[in-house]
Structure formats: structure tokens, C-alpha cells
Amino acid sequence: MAVTLPSKASNREGKAWIFLFAAWTVALVSTLGALFIGEVLGQVPCTLCWHQRIFMFPLAVLLAIACYRSDAAVWPYVSGLAAIGWLLAAWHSLLYFGVVSEAIQPCGAGPSCSGSNMMLLGTVPIPLLSLLAFTAILVLMLALIREERS
């Protein structure tokens, strides 16, 4: 019985798939969490939350397809969407923590970004969760790029 060792190419594809799967998991949990908060808990999202959803929801679909096809070439599209979403989430977090004054706050009409309903389990602000999710996806895409180029 002969034992064959995995080639470097198959090992690299396996690592790339793990990064894609991890990024998809983050995007899926974020998407389902946003839908749960909006549809089940009935909390209407503010303008900035809507814009962040615009960039997170497609990531769940793109990364699912990339995982299914083991397609690491999706990283430019995912990174672009995640980078814009990250900028929005960073701005939203700055507003939430009061670093940016209320006078230039774009979500003045509608739900407040500073209410107690913007906390998950009463401790973690939702804008910060969004920032962490986009950051995780970007870090995973950087790891994917590094793995593909090595």
C-alpha cells in the first residue's frame, strides 16, 4: 500500500478554503444577526446601519459561492465591499462613542445611534460589532492573499 503525501498546491487550496469559509461564517453570522435584530426584535436600523447592511449582505452570498467553488480569486471583490463597509462602520462607531459631534451626524432622523437598543446583551454596541465583523473579513482576506502568493 503506497502512501501519497498531499502536494503543496492542494495544501494551499485547503488553507485558502479555510480563510474563505471563516470569512463566510463572519458575514453569515453578521447578516443573520442584522436580520434578527431588525425583523424579530423589531428594531428599525438607522441610516448608517442600512448602509453597512448594503455592504455586508452581498459578502455572505459572494463568500458562499467562493467556498462552494474553492475560488480564492474572489478576494478583490470581497475586500472592496468589506473596506467600504469598514469605513462606514468606523464612522458609525466614532458617532456612537461621541468622537464625532452630533452636528455632523448623518443619522439624525429616524432611530438613534446612541440609544440603549444599540447594545447587544446590554454591553456591546452594535456599531462596534459591525466594525469588528468587517475587520475580521479584511484580515481573513489579507491572510488569503498572503497564502495565495506564497
Side-chain angles (χ1 to χ4, degrees):
M1 173 184 260
V3 175
T4 58
L5 297 173
S7 68
K8 280 189 174 182
S10 66
N11 190 24
R12 193 175 337 135
E13 288 174 8
K15 285 184 181 179
W17 187 86
I18 290 170
F19 293 131
L20 287 171
F21 184 78
W24 173 70
T25 303
V26 171
L28 182 65
V29 168
S30 298
T31 298
L32 294 175
L35 290 172
F36 179 80
I37 290 168
E39 300 302 320
V40 176
L41 298 179
Q43 294 180 2
V44 179
C46 70
T47 304
L48 282 174
C49 287
W50 275 115
H51 287 91
Q52 290 168 64
R53 287 178 177 199
I54 290 169
F55 292 96
M56 183 60 76
F57 288 8
L59 289 175
V61 176
L62 281 173
L63 287 163
I65 294 168
C67 285
Y68 178 74
R69 298 180 63 192
S70 295
D71 185 8
V74 74
W75 72 263
Y77 313 113
V78 170
S79 298
L81 284 170
I84 296 169
W86 186 92
L87 290 171
L88 288 166
W91 177 257
H92 198 185
S93 295
L94 291 173
L95 287 172
Y96 182 84
F97 290 112
V99 176
V100 177
S101 70
E102 292 180 25
I104 55 175
Q105 188 172 357
C107 53
S112 172
C113 289
S114 59
S116 61
N117 63 346
M118 292 296 284
M119 302 284 266
L120 182 66
L121 303 173
T123 57
V124 182
I126 292 173
L128 186 59
L129 284 175
S130 178
L131 182 64
L132 292 174
F134 282 117
T135 300
I137 292 169
L138 286 170
V139 167
L140 288 164
M141 289 301 104
L142 287 172
L144 176 67
I145 294 165
R146 180 182 237 191
E147 183 63 32
E148 287 296 303
R149 292 190 178 166
S150 65

